[in-house]
Amino acid sequence: MKRIVALLFASLVAGSAAAQAVKIGVVNTFSGPNASFGELGDKAMKLYMKLHANELPAGVKLELVTRDDGGPNPDKAKQLAQELIVRDKVSLVTGAVFTPNALAIAPLATEAKIPFLVINAGTSVVTTRSPYIVRDSFTLWQSSYPLGQWAAKQDMKKAYTLVSDYAPGFDSEEAFTKGFTQAGGTIVGSARVPLKDPDFVPFVQRAKDAKPDVLFIFAPSGKQATAVMKAYGDLGLAAAGIRLIGPQDITTDEELPNMGDAPLGVVTAGGYSEAATRPQNQAFVAAWKRDYGANSHTNFMAASAWDGMAAIFAAIKAQNGKVDPDKTMQILAGWKNPDSPRGPVEIDAQTRDVIQNIYIRKVERQGDHLANVEFETIPQVKDPWKVLNPQ
Ligand code: PHB
């Protein structure tokens, strides 16, 4: 009898634990030239889950259901999100490194009333495409607009802009141009490079020929950033007195070791640097290296995936293991973390977009490696596009 009761009890406990499994759907890029993006996000989310597992309500288990969109492929991303929602019955969708993919998933979030936490895609308009979208990463306006203002206040009066030919490129071009010209600078030329398999050399050569004081570039981080830097170094722009600046994507921390010396002196704007000396960042980087090895690097995508998982934990904890869509949205939109590796971060309750410090950083040599060293802080920046274009 005792044994039967014990067995019954065990199966009840197992049953209730299973009922408490919370499934999170992840659509991110794990293959192709941008495979590192998905890997960085995945490592960050899993590291957060491991280090904070004991904070979840008793019996609640978090399960990541991960899918590979292969890059900027909106149809594929939409199909994967649809399957995650309908077949796998996830409670929340996250990921979306590429803007076109985020835009394709947006109507599904609305239709199914599924919270969609964007942990990268940086075009301003993304959050306006569904009331079920919340973003904790960044917007290109958030970095490129203040960078334009900063540059014009230095000895840089003539700029050339070169951006990737898709939505975040258009945002960064418009934002930089506005910030730079409002502060007295002049744009002497601009060009757009294809998103897929770009050859930066002829574009950077044309920019050099226009003889600007500064070349502003946005391209997706990862291998494209390294290709940008190679073209800048090989074509001798620094020697010709042409500075290079851009959002944090072009000196992304995990690619700095592959860029040689070309990025030395490059100034960028963004919310995260692996070299930041904030204790909460040093703890994050130390935990990362302990688990993934001394040569493995964090970057801005890892930082927002880490914070995204912290926000998901907050929502699950507040609902004692349940994930009601509307309640979850209420918790996520308004979520704050004063101790993010990025410094204080919060989600604006009204726009559901991130508010964070933007750091102006310069690439410097630190010992045997290059680092994005923060030297100026613009505190708690709201997406300037939304400030300038209230909905
Ligand atoms: C985007 O598609 O929004 C995107 C992709 C890669 C980046 C930044 C933005 O580095």
Side-chain angles (χ1 to χ4, degrees):
M1 181 64 183
K2 247 189 184 165
R3 204 167 155 254
I4 291 171
V5 170
L7 274 174
L8 253 176
F9 182 72
S11 77
L12 267 175
V13 169
S16 68
Q20 290 266 41
V22 177
K23 285 189 184 180
I24 307 292
V26 182
V27 182
N28 219 337
T29 303
F30 292 92
S31 61
N34 304 111
S36 62
F37 297 177
E39 195 192 312
L40 282 154
D42 197 56
K43 281 181 167 165
M45 287 192 281
K46 288 183 176 152
L47 186 60
Y48 190 94
M49 287 163 68
K50 180 180 145 186
L51 296 180
H52 295 265
N54 61 358
E55 293 171 18
L56 287 175
V60 173
K61 212 178 123 266
L62 204 55
E63 189 189 328
L64 297 184
V65 190
T66 302
R67 299 287 180 263
D68 175 19
D69 58 30
N73 300 314
D75 292 343
K76 175 91 180 163
K78 186 173 184 174
Q79 177 214 326
L80 294 171
Q82 175 99 31
E83 284 169 14
L84 286 170
I85 293 168
V86 174
R87 205 179 56 200
D88 298 295
K89 306 221 179 317
V90 298
S91 300
L92 182 146
V93 174
T94 188
V97 99
F98 285 102
T99 290
N101 300 8
L103 295 177
I105 295 172
L108 299 180
T110 308
E111 226 171 85
K113 295 194 195 311
I114 293 282
F116 175 25
L117 171 63
V118 173
I119 55 169
N120 190 71
T123 306
S124 284
V125 83
V126 165
T127 45
T128 69
R129 291 296 174 85
S130 168
Y132 286 90
I133 292 185
V134 55
R135 170 165 50 199
D136 88 319
S137 47
F138 58 86
T139 71
L140 271 313
W141 267 90
Q142 219 172 22
S143 49
S144 303
Y145 183 64
L147 184 63
Q149 294 173 318
W150 176 85
K153 285 190 217 123
Q154 316 304 308
D155 54 350
M156 306 175 213
K157 298 300 165 216
K158 291 185 292 172
Y160 190 103
T161 66
L162 181 57
V163 300
S164 201
D165 193 8
Y166 78 126
F170 308 153
D171 268 17
S172 65
E173 178 190 84
E174 194 188 337
F176 176 78
T177 299
K178 191 156 198 145
F180 190 66
T181 56
Q182 276 177 345
T186 306
I187 303 293
V188 296
S190 52
R192 294 172 176 181
V193 291
L195 171 60
K196 291 197 180 169
D197 304 321
D199 176 5
F200 288 99
V201 171
F203 291 94
V204 172
Q205 181 62 50
R206 231 172 292 147
K208 184 185 179 194
D209 295 343
K211 298 194 178 1
D213 300 319
V214 61
L215 170 59
F216 169 90
I217 298 190
F218 164 76
S221 66
K223 294 296 169 204
Q224 288 209 21
T226 306
V228 163
M229 217 49 79
K230 183 163 173 23
Y232 177 74
D234 288 354
L235 297 172
L237 275 78
I242 302 171
R243 308 272 304 270
L244 175 62
I245 62 175
Q248 63 192 348
D249 310 71
I250 64 165
T251 58
T252 183
D253 296 307
E254 84 287 11
E255 283 293 325
L256 274 184
N258 303 326
M259 292 181 178
D261 283 347
L264 272 172
V266 171
V267 170
T268 55
Y272 181 77
S273 162
E274 184 176 38
T277 52
R278 284 175 288 287
Q280 61 274 33
N281 181 52
Q282 289 177 327
F284 172 55
V285 173
W288 184 282
K289 292 192 182 289
R290 200 164 50 233
D291 271 33
Y292 301 128
N295 292 329
S296 178
H297 294 278
T298 62
N299 79 345
F300 65 93
M301 290 183 182
S304 52
W306 168 270
D307 282 337
M309 191 47 76
I312 292 171
F313 264 54
I316 293 173
K317 278 153 66 177
Q319 297 173 85
N320 206 19
K322 298 223 160 39
V323 185
D324 171 76
D326 293 302
K327 183 89 185 103
T328 300
M329 285 309 295
Q330 261 173 26
I331 297 164
L332 294 179
W335 175 80
K336 286 188 174 70
N337 181 6
D339 282 326
S340 159
R342 293 181 270 177
V345 165
E346 70 176 273
I347 314 271
D348 184 76
Q350 196 205 336
T351 61
R352 290 169 276 102
D353 218 339
V354 65
I355 303 173
Q356 64 190 316
N357 289 349
I358 293 297
Y359 306 98
I360 312 285
R361 312 102 46 88
K362 186 189 251 176
V363 178
E364 290 175 9
R365 191 181 305 285
Q366 281 189 343
D368 61 352
H369 64 278
L370 301 189
N372 286 299
V373 179
E374 298 170 356
F375 64 90
E376 204 171 305
T377 302
I378 306 162
Q380 297 298 278
V381 179
K382 287 189 178 191
D383 176 27
W385 182 81
K386 293 192 178 67
V387 175
L388 295 168
N389 304 282
Q391 302 291 305

